[in-house]
Every structure is written in structure tokens, then in C-alpha cells.
Amino acid sequence: MYPGPEGRNNPDRPAFIMGATGETITFGEYDERCNRLAHLFREIGLTRRDHISIFMENNPKMLEVEGAAERTGLYYTCINSYLSAEEVAYIVNDSESQVLVSSGAKRGVAEEVVKLCPNVKRFLMVDDTAPGFESYEKAVASYPTTPIADEMLGAAMLYSSGTTGQPKGIFRPLPDMAPADALPVMTFVRAIFGFREGQVYLSPAPLYHSAPQASVSANVRMGSTSVIMERFDPEEWLRLVEKYGVTHCQMVPTMFSRLLKLPEETRKRYDVSSIECIVHAAAPCPVPVKEAMIEWIGPKIIEYYGATEANGFTVCNSEQWLAHKGTVGFPVLGELLILDDENNPVPTGTSGTVWFKNATNFEYFNAKDKTDESRVVLEDGGVMSTVGDVGYVDEDNFLYLTDRKTYMIISGGVNIYPQETENLLITHPKVMDAAVIGVPNEDLGEEVKAIVQPMDGVDAGPELERELIAFCREHLAHFKCPRTIDFESELPRLPTGKLYQRLLRDRYWLDRSTRISTTTIAATAAKTTASATKSTRWRRTLSRGALRGP
């Protein structure tokens, strides 16, 4: 995050306002704090293309760390603040991070991470200290507030998981430019989302997610003020919109649902007329929910579909959506293709796998095999890739999502990868076999359910259910753990041993017209060894490839 001219020329303008506390950091203060940390990074010996990680809740210091990395040519990885120590450590180690910055609020997990990351040079903790960590505030205090001499642009390298549950770093080469230079992507953001100088952007979601991180970063570059919610609360969202005259926001459908469930008198109590645009993605939005939001807020809602990999992008405004209800948009980045399992085009209105051609240059960090599996190299030299979603296009080429190749769970806009939880449950001594699926939840879209085949002689019932849920919560972030567990005498598996997951899911989704689809999943994709006309091969892999650096 690097302030553009509007921010640098207005140092007293608020850059960030924390929603709950009202803590305000001006652009001048933000610039100075980022510079202090940038000097520390250089003294540690970090150079262009080195990596750091950030593990904390929504916190203004998190934004400072990003800003310091972006002016020192570093890759920075924002880690889900709800992960367990083992999960955090995997990402820190896999990204080859040399510095980890955490916070007092995450101290319990962070202390355990230190023991699992022997190659990290420095551990810094905001608002506290812990064994293995030094105080962030004390560490940066003695450094100058002026820029370092060799500023170069750095960037985020966020993680997205595959069907094995192991996260994958989404890696792109760094452009050879100064952090103050204009970024081409800003033209795209302004055109698609209507971002502008002087806007007030409200960020209600965790900042470790790619969309909030990118949106706040874009707002900083425009020199505009961002209001950061520590956590989403529907009435607090209304209060902040009115108090700060919020013009722009990015949300997920679950937030829409919770706003609409407020009493009508509560919603009418607040003035939301300042809103110019609400962008939403991350999960499908039920048609009645979006209709109600447009009726309330006005035709100011923009929907997009795209993965963290940026392998393709569709978008639609409210007018387009109302004319094509249920769509996730029209392609604006990459050529949209709907193909069958042999990579042949399907007729208009027929479902197939969603592919995009020639849209991005991403690869998975330290994982050439996974990179290769995510794409098909065509005979004409082009490249097409997929994240595994299934959908169709109408006669106007608007995309509709209906299913997905892999059964990722989308709960409240968050991707949950069932294989990881299945693999853990199998290790429990009372479990013979296990499957984890998403089942309907009116508020969250989906919730996590496990179906377990107990060992012979083990009594299935509430006591075992509680034991297994507690076991999962011991080892995984709570949002990945099943809320409920059903028991079966035998799980349906094919002769090959593959779990017939669709049969399990159909029991819970039988009365639903569509399956939940994701806009941010990074699923294991199709691989072909010659051309796009060969059969798609879907497979799981645990192997790791060689480093693919710029």
C-alpha cells in the first residue's frame, strides 16, 4: 500500500479510521510509520523479492506492514487470523518468509508458531510481547521516518488452497517499478467499480482476504479514507455508513442477509443515501436477497466473479443483473469458455466447466506441479485455466454458476476445504471412515457437516459427536470444523476407493435448484499433456515442485 499524490499532498487527511474505536491514522502518519519499518527490513537484510508474513486481526499495524513491504520490493503474505499454529506455520515456511509480524490478540497461537518456523529471522508482535517475539513498537522506534534510498514496488502473495487442503501461494513476478508509479490495475478498478478520489471506503471483512486487501490498497493509492470494521455487525455497518458518509463498500452475500434481517425500524433509523456503490462477490447471492438489497439501497450494487488467481473475471451492474437474474456477470478479463470433460465447447444454456483463456500470468509458489495442473497450454500458444466451477452462459454471454467440480464449502463467503478435515478425522482411533461436506444453512449459505463411519464396536451418538468435534477444534481453525456429525454404517465408495460425494450431498441438497458455487476457490484443475482436445484429468497431489522465481 503506497499513497498516491492525493494522499501524499494531504498528509492530515485520514487514511484509516477503525470502526469500533475511532482510532485515526492520517496519510502523513501512515507514511512515516511505513518508512520506519522499511528501514528495519533493510537492516535485517531483506532485499527485493524476499518474503514476509502477517498474522493478525484487522489492525492498523497490519496495514503499516503491508505499506512497508510495498516500498521495499518484498512479497507479503496475509494469513487467515483464525488458523491454528500448525496451519500458520505451514504458510510461513512454504512462503519462505523471513519475518513474521503478529499481534497481542493472536498471542496464544503465535507463541506456538515460533517453535515451528526455525528459518524466520525476526518475530515482531504488535501491542504485546511473547516468548520468541520482540515488541514491534520498540523495534521500529529508532528508525527514521524518511523513505529508504532504494524504494521498489512490492506486492501481496496470498494463499489459496486446493483439494488436498494444503494452501498454495499465488505468485506473480514483480514489475520493475517504483512504488509511487501509477499501477495499470487502478484504471481497471476505477472503470469497473467506480472508485474515485475523495471516496470513503468501508471495509467490513477480514483484511487477510484478497478482495478487502486489494480494495483498501486501491483506496490508499487514490488518497481516500478507509473505514475498517474490526468485525462485521449489521447495525454497526449502518452506523458507520451514516457517520462517515461512506460512498463505497465491498461485501459478501451473508452480510446482505444479516442486514436484511434487522428490524425495518432499525434499518430506517440510519441514512445510507451516501452510498454510491456496493461491490459483492466471494459466494453466490440468492436472487431474493439481491432483489431486496437493490430495492433498499438502489441500483448501486455490482457483482463480480473471479478467483484470487485472477485467471478470469466477470462483472455485472444492478441493471444488467435485473435483466439476467442469477448471473455473476459478463466476461471482462479473459475469454470465457464453457467446456465439457473432453474440453469441447457446450451449447449455450448447457452447463460445463468454466474456463478462461489468456487472462493471467500467475503460478503457484514452490509448486510447479500444481501450476501445471491448473492450466492447459494450447497449440496456438495460448493458455486456459480453471478453478473448477461449473456453469453456463445465456445468449448474451452472461455467466451463471450451477455447481463446482470440487466440493469446496462456502460458509459466509469463506472457502473451507473438506479434504483437510476428512484427513484429520480419519486419524481418530474411533473413526473408520469420514466424509466432510457442505449442507444448507439459511444464514451462511453452507455449513460444515461430517459423515462418519465409526470403528466396529464404537457407539455412535451425541457423546461421540461431541468428542470428534472437539478433536477437530484442537487441530484446526474452528470454521473448518463440523458443526454437526451424522453417522453411517458404511460410506458410499466406488470400487476404486473414491468417495461418492455427490450421493452424500444429494441427501441434503435434494430440494435445492442449484449448488453453492464459489468465486474464490483455487481447485485442482484440468491437466493435459498435449492440447486442449485431450481429456481433462482431475487429480489430487501432495508433491511439491521446484521454486519458480521471477
Side-chain angles (χ1 to χ4, degrees), residues 460-521:
E463 186 174 339
L464 180 58
E465 180 182 34
R466 287 191 294 270
E467 180 180 344
L468 295 179
I469 292 174
F471 173 70
C472 290
R473 292 189 169 194
E474 237 181 294
H475 299 279
L476 296 174
H478 286 197
F479 69 84
K480 298 181 181 180
C481 300
R483 290 190 172 201
T484 56
I485 297 178
D486 290 347
F487 296 98
E488 298 282 351
S489 58
E490 186 175 358
L491 295 186
R493 289 191 179 272
L494 299 174
T496 59
K498 183 177 179 180
L499 182 68
Y500 201 153
Q501 221 181 57
R502 182 180 294 276
L503 184 60
L504 292 174
R505 285 175 55 85
D506 282 350
R507 300 176 188 175
Y508 302 93
W509 292 95
L510 199 58
D511 59 343
R512 303 297 177 105
S513 59
T514 61
R515 307 255 185 229
I516 297 296
S517 302
T518 178
T519 62
T520 54
I521 305 170

Side-chain angles (χ1 to χ4, degrees), residues 96-110:
E96 300 178 354
S97 289
Q98 298 184 46
V99 174
L100 173 64
V101 185
S102 191
S103 68
K106 310 308 299 180
R107 175 175 175 164
V109 174

Side-chain angles (χ1 to χ4, degrees), residues 193-232:
F193 298 147
F195 278 21
R196 60 171 178 80
E197 280 89 357
Q199 69 180 32
V200 178
Y201 178 80
L202 177 59
S203 182
L207 292 174
Y208 58 75
H209 275 302
S210 59
Q213 187 278 325
S215 296
V216 172
S217 181
N219 208 46
V220 170
R221 284 197 165 268
M222 290 187 297
S224 301
T225 299
S226 298
V227 181
I228 311 293
M229 295 185 74
E230 288 84 351
R231 55 178 293 275
F232 178 75

Side-chain angles (χ1 to χ4, degrees), residues 3-15:
E6 279 292 312
R8 294 196 300 274
N9 294 335
N10 294 277
D12 295 329
R13 177 182 294 171

Side-chain angles (χ1 to χ4, degrees), residues 186-487:
M186 291 300 298
T187 302
F188 181 81
V189 169
R190 288 171 183 263
I192 298 299
F193 298 147
F195 278 21
R196 60 171 178 80
E197 280 89 357
Q199 69 180 32
V200 178
Y201 178 80
L202 177 59
S203 182
L207 292 174
Y208 58 75
H209 275 302
S210 59
Q213 187 278 325
S215 296
V216 172
S217 181
N219 208 46
V220 170
R221 284 197 165 268
M222 290 187 297
S224 301
T225 299
S226 298
V227 181
I228 311 293
M229 295 185 74
E230 288 84 351
R231 55 178 293 275
F232 178 75
D233 174 84
E235 187 169 356
E236 176 69 359
W237 185 90
L238 292 171
R239 185 187 73 82
L240 293 172
V241 168
E242 180 180 78
K243 179 175 180 178
Y244 295 107
V246 168
T247 60
H248 292 70
C249 185
Q250 183 156 191
M251 309 180 76
V252 298
T254 297
M255 296 175 182
F256 289 169
S257 178
R258 292 181 181 180
L259 281 168
L260 293 168
K261 287 180 181 178
L262 289 172
E264 189 173 356
E265 59 269 22
T266 301
R267 286 197 279 136
K268 287 183 175 180
R269 192 181 306 146
Y270 299 92
D271 180 6
V272 297
S273 62
S274 62
I275 291 176
E276 298 175 15
C277 176
I278 295 177
V279 179
H280 81 92
C285 186
V287 169
V289 170
K290 189 160 180 179
E291 287 175 329
M293 283 297 295
I294 293 174
E295 182 180 355
W296 173 31
I297 300 294
K300 305 174 183 179
I301 298 176
I302 294 175
E303 181 169 2
Y304 73 87
Y305 163 71
T308 305
E309 287 86 341
N311 71 312
F313 200 89
T314 68
V315 67
C316 63
N317 59 30
S318 292
E319 290 82 1
Q320 290 169 322
W321 185 87
L322 288 168
H324 303 80
K325 290 184 179 180
T327 184
V328 295
F330 183 89
V332 294
L333 176 65
E335 179 185 349
L336 175 61
L337 305 169
I338 308 296
L339 307 178
D340 62 19
D341 286 344
E342 283 70 47
N343 290 341
N344 298 312
V346 301
T348 298
T350 302
S351 289
T353 302
V354 178
W355 293 80
F356 288 94
K357 180 181 176 182
N358 297 340
T360 188
N361 63 342
F362 84 91
E363 56 189 54
Y364 292 121
F365 186 68
N366 275 355
K368 182 182 182 300
D369 55 342
K370 293 178 182 178
T371 300
D372 291 342
E373 287 176 355
S374 73
R375 62 192 59 184
V376 170
V377 179
L378 306 175
E379 291 179 338
D380 63 5
V383 176
M384 67 179 193
S385 62
T386 181
V387 294
D389 286 331
V390 175
Y392 65 91
V393 294
D394 63 19
E395 293 181 353
D396 297 320
N397 208 31
F398 280 85
L399 175 64
Y400 300 75
L401 299 177
T402 56
D403 206 336
R404 59 177 175 262
K405 282 281 186 180
T406 53
Y407 295 101
M408 297 299 154
I409 301 165
I410 311 301
S411 186
V414 176
N415 294 342
I416 302 170
Y417 306 94
Q419 186 66 45
E420 188 178 12
T421 311
E422 289 179 8
N423 290 346
L424 176 64
L425 279 169
I426 293 295
T427 69
H428 193 281
K430 295 182 181 179
V431 174
M432 171 67 76
D433 201 357
V436 175
I437 63 173
V439 298
N441 180 295
E442 291 302 320
D443 184 34
L444 299 174
E446 291 183 285
E447 68 178 61
V448 181
K449 175 180 282 291
I451 300 96
V452 167
Q453 177 183 335
M455 296 288 289
D456 291 342
V458 173
D459 292 328
E463 186 174 339
L464 180 58
E465 180 182 34
R466 287 191 294 270
E467 180 180 344
L468 295 179
I469 292 174
F471 173 70
C472 290
R473 292 189 169 194
E474 237 181 294
H475 299 279
L476 296 174
H478 286 197
F479 69 84
K480 298 181 181 180
C481 300
R483 290 190 172 201
T484 56
I485 297 178
D486 290 347
F487 296 98

Side-chain angles (χ1 to χ4, degrees), residues 30 77 117 120 148 151 160 205 233 251 256 307 331 343 498 502 523:
Y30 178 67
T77 296
C117 299
V120 172
I148 60 173
E151 284 192 333
S160 185
D233 174 84
M251 309 180 76
F256 289 169
N343 290 341
K498 183 177 179 180
R502 182 180 294 276

